[in-house]
Amino acid sequence: MSSAVLAEQNLAGQNEEWPKGHYPLPDEGNVIGKAYTVTVKDDEDTLIDIARRHNLGYLEIVRANPDVSIWVPGVGTEVTIPERFILPNVERTGVVINIAELRLYYYPDVSNDESPRVETYPIGIGREGFDTPLGVTKTTMNIKNPAWYPPESVQREAEERGEKAPSVVPPGPDNPLGDHAIILGFDGYLIHGTNQPDGIGMRASRGCIRMLPNDIESIFDRIPAGTQVNIINQPIKIGWDNGQPLVQAFPPLGEEDHTMTALSDAITRLEQRNADGVRFDYEQLSDLLASSNGLIESLNPKPEPSNKEEDDDINSVYEELALHAS
C-alpha cells in the first residue's frame, strides 16, 4: 500500500476493525462518521480518484471542495472528505436508499454478541426522465456475471442514431451491469455494479441503482433474497449529536427549490427533539436550504425574543420559501 493511502487512512481515524464505510450505530443521536482532510500526494490523482478511496461519490466530493480542480487538484492541495452522515429518518432495517443523497445504507442483521452497525456507499441513480422508483420492495435474486438485455428505450435510441442495439450483452467489460446484480421486486430495476464508475454519485442511469464494483461485491453475498429495500427521497435530514441539532440539505430532484412540505417537516422534526426549548435560528435554516450543498451544518440558537418575534421569525422563513417556490 502506498504511503499516500496510509497517510489518508491515518487522517481518517478509522479503526482497523471497521472497514471503510462501516460504522457502529450510535447509542444516542443519528450521526455517524467524521469529516477530515487529506493532502494530495500524487500529481496524477483526480478528485474522483480521491473520492473513490474515501467512499464518496462525484457530487459529494465536488460540493465539499468547490474551489478544487476536479481533474488536476495538484500536489499539496488539501481536500475535504465529508465522511460524516446523518442517518435517514426511516426504519433501520435492510437496505435504505436515499436518492436525494445519492447514497445507500445497509443495516445487516447481527448476532447477539455483535455491535449493531450500518454500512453506507455512494450510488448512481436514474437520470431525468428515467427516475428511480420510490417505495418499499425486496430483493428477489442475486446474479453474478449477469447478461444485460437492452430495454426498449435503448433499442429506440439506437434506431434513432441509425444503429441496431444488441439483443443481449454477455458478461464482460462492455456490460453496463458490471459483475454483480441484485434484482429488486420493482419490475425491471436492479442494484448493480458498473463498467462506468465515474457515474457513481450522479444521476446517470436509466433508473437502476449503480454501485462501485468493489462496493457491490462486498455486500453481494451478504444480502439474501427477501431483504427489505426502502427507496426514499429525503432531501433534508435533521441530525442530533451530543444535543447539537444538525442540518444536511441536498438539492431537491426535479425541482428548483425545497417545498413548503419539506421545510415544515424539517421544523417539526427539530421541535420534536427540542426538549430544552432552544430557539433555533430559522433564518440560518433557510440559508442552508438555499445552498443545499449536502454538507452537515450545526444549527445555531438565537437570543431569546418575545413570543411575537419568534412567530415572525418562523413566518418569515415560510414566506421566503414561498417566494422562491412561486
Side-chain angles (χ1 to χ4, degrees):
M1 183 179 296
S2 70
S3 59
V5 174
L6 284 172
E8 290 177 350
Q9 287 183 343
N10 290 336
L11 282 168
Q14 289 287 328
N15 186 323
E16 291 182 359
E17 296 180 359
W18 293 91
K20 182 68 70 175
H22 294 221
Y23 305 93
L25 285 176
D27 294 330
E28 296 182 3
N30 58 348
V31 180
I32 57 173
K34 183 178 180 180
Y36 54 96
T37 61
V38 299
T39 301
V40 180
K41 304 290 186 182
D42 189 335
D43 58 12
E44 294 186 359
D45 262 349
T46 68
L47 211 53
I48 297 173
D49 294 329
I50 296 170
R52 290 180 194 167
R53 289 204 294 270
H54 292 273
N55 189 41
L56 298 174
Y58 175 85
L59 288 178
E60 288 175 311
I61 197 78
V62 169
R63 288 169 179 160
N65 299 275
D67 299 324
V68 177
S69 169
I70 297 173
W71 303 112
V72 188
V75 172
T77 299
E78 284 198 349
V79 175
T80 298
I81 306 297
E83 197 181 342
R84 191 182 187 207
F85 308 103
I86 296 174
L87 297 175
N89 186 37
V90 292
E91 181 185 10
R92 298 176 184 176
T93 186
V95 173
V96 175
I97 296 169
N98 186 7
I99 62 171
E101 189 179 3
L102 292 160
R103 184 158 282 273
L104 177 150
Y105 294 84
Y106 174 45
Y107 299 91
D109 292 333
V110 296
S111 59
N112 292 334
D113 59 346
E114 291 182 299
S115 298
R117 67 180 188 271
V118 60
E119 304 171 22
T120 181
Y121 304 96
I123 58 172
I125 64 170
R127 64 181 185 265
E128 189 172 352
F130 293 91
D131 295 340
T132 298
L134 302 177
V136 178
T137 184
K138 293 183 178 181
T139 62
T140 63
M141 184 183 302
N142 294 10
I143 303 177
K144 191 170 183 179
N145 298 319
W148 179 56
Y149 297 86
E152 290 184 6
S153 60
V154 172
Q155 297 177 24
R156 286 196 304 269
E157 290 175 6
E159 291 177 0
E160 291 172 359
R161 297 192 303 268
E163 303 172 358
K164 181 175 176 58
S167 58
V168 60
V169 177
D174 296 328
N175 191 316
L177 302 183
D179 296 331
H180 300 84
I182 300 174
I183 300 177
L184 302 179
F186 292 143
D187 187 29
Y189 292 93
L190 303 81
I191 302 172
H192 62 79
T194 180
N195 63 346
Q196 296 178 331
D198 287 355
I200 299 302
M202 293 192 293
R203 299 189 67 183
S205 79
R206 292 177 178 271
C208 289
I209 295 95
R210 294 179 179 175
M211 298 181 68
L212 288 169
N214 288 343
D215 289 346
I216 190 167
E217 183 178 8
S218 73
I219 65 172
F220 183 78
D221 291 324
R222 297 185 291 113
I223 295 184
T227 299
Q228 176 176 296
V229 178
N230 188 4
I231 305 178
I232 62 174
N233 180 18
Q234 198 170 104
I236 305 173
K237 295 197 294 181
I238 302 299
W240 294 86
D241 191 17
N242 294 320
Q244 173 65 54
L246 306 170
V247 177
Q248 187 178 24
F250 302 89
L253 299 177
E255 301 173 15
E256 293 184 0
D257 297 288
H258 291 285
T259 65
M260 294 291 290
T261 300
L263 176 61
S264 178
D265 179 64
I267 291 176
T268 298
R269 280 184 280 152
L270 282 166
E271 295 297 347
Q272 286 174 343
R273 293 290 302 271
N274 189 16
D276 297 329
V278 175
R279 273 196 75 246
F280 299 122
D281 187 344
Y282 288 110
E283 290 185 6
Q284 181 198 6
L285 176 60
S286 178
D287 292 340
L288 293 176
L289 299 190
S291 63
S292 292
N293 60 10
L295 302 180
I296 295 178
E297 301 282 355
S298 298
L299 188 61
N300 301 324
K302 290 192 72 173
E304 284 295 329
S306 67
N307 290 336
K308 181 179 184 305
E309 287 174 336
E310 182 173 9
D311 291 340
D312 289 346
D313 189 20
I314 296 176
N315 290 336
S316 67
V317 176
Y318 281 113
E319 290 170 1
E320 183 175 348
L321 192 69
L323 182 62
H324 285 303
S326 62

